[in-house]
Amino acid sequence: MRRFIESVKIIAIGIVCVNTLSCSDFLDKNPLDQITSQTFWQSENEANMALAGVYARLNSYPFRHKDAEFDTMAGEASANQSAVVITLSQGFIEATSGGLVTDIYTACYQGIASCNFFLDNVERTPVSEAALNRMKGEVYFLRALFYFMLAEHYGGVPLYTKPVTIEEAKVKQSSKAEVISLILSDLDYAVASLPDAAYTDGHAVNGSALGLKARVYLHTGQWAEAAAAANEVIQSGKFSLFNDFRTLFLASGQTNNPEIIFSTRFLSPDRTTDLDIHWAWWGFVNPRQDLVDAYECADGLPIASSPLYDPSDWRKNRDPRLLMTIKGFDDKVINSAGQEMGFAYNAQSGTGYEPVKYCNWDVLPINYSTLSEQDWILLRYADILLMYAEARNETGGPDESVYSAVNRVRARAEMPALPDGLSKEQMRERIRNERRVELALEGIRWGDILRWRTAETYLPTIVDPGGVRRSFDPAKHYLLPFPQSEIDVNDQLEQNPGY
């Protein structure tokens, strides 16, 4: 709440924009500053600048490469050099833990405050009704995204749909059902207002809103609704699987990429991240053996039963996505110029593995001046196909459309189709594993094992480097605690159970 109240102060006196920058300029990935003006909202250009400021809120913890900390929490990786993440992943989560406990809360409410300020003022702008509805649709989509992130991690949270004073911000949390209801209402507006077009310039489109809607329904167990929303994206024909899995996650392959449905956008040198520094130099993310073993052999069989598996060389005869996601700690790589490149990691991997996905070998060797510009993908078409398959399977079992959706994802990876005759339960397990290997290190796994309620059985089986066994208390750990700093300044906020 303290950080949220600070953002209320800031947004009450100004908006994030720049003197001459249009919204489309920003979404072509240029930076922003702040100005304050009592005479703002006088033209469509100013409204577009304000819209760009709302999008700029995505350049924060839960919507960029630090999302991979959720994969660490989920057991897909072990943390390296990040004491807070190590502590949290081992179940030592308290209201005073800091790190993601406070970062998610702060970033999302700053985004919500920006959305509410925009929506409260934009109708003052002399623009066409079509332009106004489109801009509002984009902001309702973004507000839904911010609230969904909060609901996923804290459950019920305080709801604000208008700009508030400091005192007005001190309210009790609403129920999670009420938060989800607001999210779906915002997405309904977005779906009705956004263009039915490909995602090309950073602006949310109809498919972005439908894709998020499918995810919300999936995470709340509303299977028929999730399948219907995902199928709308599929049937629109506006998106498709990209033919190069590796460069899907690099700046060189992301311009007008048909698979990307929504992303946080970056461009060097003005708007960059430290992704390559963190992943390919400091070695923050160490994939675990369990994740490596989840990838099938090239014949479509798990390593436990495939005659192709070679225990002496984990790289041979495997699902091609494995080596486009994970490398051995000592493995060299080839950059786009065909040069073999080594690494100078500043810490030994605790698991023997390091990431490949999202890492740009063309910036090797890495130092503190390295600027990363890979867009962080928040929604992509492969996830839509797998969401559809999961939801449809839960409602009606593995019909032809379920097989088709999963097999399209596998075919892009040059993996064999699933065997015929799977039961609903067998298909469920295959879809879950397909999500695991397709979406690895993209910040999605934590949400999956929470909604499947498998965290309580899986996480206590994990022993991290150093011999520390993880713990997970189902009475409390399915939610994060509200940050103690927020409890201290909002006496209406009730702490989540167990904290």
Side-chain angles (χ1 to χ4, degrees):
M1 178 63 70
R2 179 176 292 113
R3 288 188 178 91
F4 171 65
I5 288 173
E6 289 172 356
S7 72
V8 170
K9 292 178 183 176
I10 293 168
I11 293 171
I13 62 171
I15 57 175
V16 182
C17 59
V18 354
N19 291 331
T20 59
L21 185 64
S22 74
C23 187
S24 105
D25 288 334
F26 166 71
L27 293 168
D28 285 336
K29 308 193 284 188
N30 285 308
L32 302 170
D33 287 315
Q34 291 184 338
I35 66 171
T36 300
S37 173
Q38 299 301 320
T39 60
F40 205 73
W41 307 103
Q42 300 302 302
S43 69
E44 184 169 354
N45 185 57
E46 289 180 345
N48 279 327
M49 288 192 287
L51 180 60
V54 181
Y55 275 98
R57 291 298 189 185
L58 294 173
N59 189 14
S60 61
Y61 178 90
F63 307 105
R64 56 190 295 176
H65 67 279
K66 289 187 178 180
D67 263 10
E69 292 185 2
F70 296 131
D71 292 286
T72 299
M73 296 280 287
E76 301 298 76
S78 291
N80 192 354
Q81 304 188 64
S82 180
V84 171
V85 178
I86 292 170
T87 300
L88 294 177
S89 68
Q90 292 170 352
F92 303 111
I93 305 173
E94 299 299 339
T96 56
S97 295
L100 60 83
V101 170
T102 56
D103 291 344
I104 298 169
Y105 198 89
T106 298
C108 289
Y109 274 117
Q110 287 175 341
I112 290 164
S114 293
C115 290
N116 289 341
F117 185 79
F118 182 93
L119 293 170
D120 202 50
N121 286 277
V122 68
E123 292 191 6
R124 295 162 45 193
T125 310
V127 297
S128 69
E129 183 177 359
L132 178 65
N133 286 336
R134 174 190 53 77
M135 289 189 284
K136 289 172 64 176
E138 292 180 60
V139 174
Y140 276 118
F141 165 78
L142 291 170
R143 190 171 75 174
L145 179 62
F146 294 133
Y147 268 124
F148 180 61
M149 181 66 70
L150 288 169
E152 281 286 275
H153 294 97
Y154 304 96
V157 296
L159 283 180
Y160 307 100
T161 58
K162 296 285 186 182
V164 294
T165 66
I166 292 173
E167 286 305 313
E168 290 170 341
K170 297 179 181 180
V171 298
K172 182 180 178 180
Q173 65 262 49
S174 297
S175 68
K176 183 174 181 180
E178 290 171 321
V179 179
I180 295 298
S181 179
L182 175 65
I183 291 168
L184 292 172
S185 176
D186 283 356
L187 289 174
D188 283 342
Y189 188 102
V191 168
S193 305
L194 295 176
D196 185 15
Y199 174 75
T200 58
D201 60 2
H203 288 269
V205 294
N206 177 269
S208 310
L210 284 170
L212 181 56
K213 195 173 185 179
R215 183 174 287 172
V216 173
Y217 280 133
L218 195 78
H219 282 234
T220 54
Q222 298 177 77
W223 304 117
E225 293 85 351
N231 194 46
E232 282 195 64
V233 180
I234 295 168
Q235 296 303 318
S236 75
K238 298 298 189 298
F239 305 95
S240 60
L241 294 171
F242 187 51
N243 61 7
D244 188 338
F245 185 81
R246 167 67 176 143
T247 60
L248 172 61
F249 305 99
L250 300 177
S252 61
Q254 292 179 326
T255 301
N256 297 331
N257 190 298
E259 184 162 347
I260 300 175
I261 298 176
F262 192 69
S263 62
T264 302
R265 295 164 70 89
F266 301 96
L267 181 67
S268 180
D270 299 313
R271 182 167 291 276
T272 60
T273 73
D274 50 10
L275 188 158
D276 290 296
I277 291 174
H278 280 184
W279 290 28
W281 184 24
W282 293 356
F284 268 12
V285 181
N286 297 167
R288 296 185 62 256
Q289 189 68 49
D290 281 0
L291 176 57
V292 174
D293 291 346
Y295 288 84
E296 299 167 355
C297 286
D299 56 6
L301 296 175
I303 61 173
S305 56
S306 173
L308 298 180
Y309 180 61
D310 182 352
S312 67
D313 188 351
W314 59 272
R315 303 166 187 80
K316 289 175 59 177
N317 304 320
R318 302 294 293 277
D319 180 334
R321 289 172 292 188
L322 173 58
L323 297 184
M324 291 186 280
T325 305
I326 298 169
K327 62 181 284 293
F329 178 72
D330 294 321
D331 292 351
K332 294 183 178 181
V333 298
I334 306 296
N335 65 17
S336 62
Q339 299 168 311
E340 186 176 71
M341 306 295 291
F343 292 81
Y345 291 109
N346 70 355
Q348 181 75 25
S349 171
T351 64
Y353 300 105
E354 295 288 352
V356 171
K357 183 181 281 187
Y358 272 113
C359 294
N360 180 12
W361 304 146
D362 286 346
V363 299
L364 293 171
I366 297 168
N367 56 47
Y368 286 107
S369 67
T370 299
L371 303 176
S372 299
E373 59 178 357
Q374 300 92 311
D375 293 345
W376 187 258
I377 301 171
L378 299 173
L379 279 167
R380 63 184 179 95
Y381 189 63
D383 193 7
I384 296 294
L385 290 169
L386 294 177
M387 285 195 281
Y388 171 80
E390 180 179 352
R392 179 65 183 164
N393 184 62
E394 293 299 331
T395 58
D399 63 17
E400 187 278 332
S401 71
V402 173
Y403 273 95
S404 174
V406 180
N407 286 337
R408 288 172 67 183
V409 176
R410 292 174 64 84
R412 190 262 299 274
E414 300 181 350
M415 288 295 291
L418 294 177
D420 293 334
L422 295 177
S423 67
K424 178 179 179 179
E425 291 73 22
Q426 290 171 326
M427 178 61 81
R428 178 187 297 135
E429 293 308 308
R430 296 301 294 259
I431 291 171
R432 289 184 177 185
N433 197 68
E434 198 66 30
R435 289 187 62 81
R436 185 179 194 181
V437 300
E438 172 70 24
L439 305 171
L441 307 184
E442 296 181 44
I444 291 175
R445 180 71 172 175
W446 177 245
D448 278 350
I449 68 170
L450 293 186
R451 66 185 178 87
W452 294 331
R453 310 297 286 190
T454 58
E456 62 198 73
T457 54
Y458 174 62
L459 293 179
T461 68
I462 295 174
V463 179
D464 278 315
V468 179
R469 182 174 293 276
R470 296 197 186 187
S471 63
F472 187 93
D473 182 354
K476 59 188 288 191
H477 288 153
Y478 278 103
L479 295 175
L480 293 177
F482 291 112
Q484 188 60 46
S485 59
E486 309 303 323
I487 298 287
D488 290 343
V489 297
N490 180 6
D491 58 8
Q492 300 298 306
L493 192 60
E494 296 180 5
Q495 185 56 274
N496 278 330
Y499 293 104

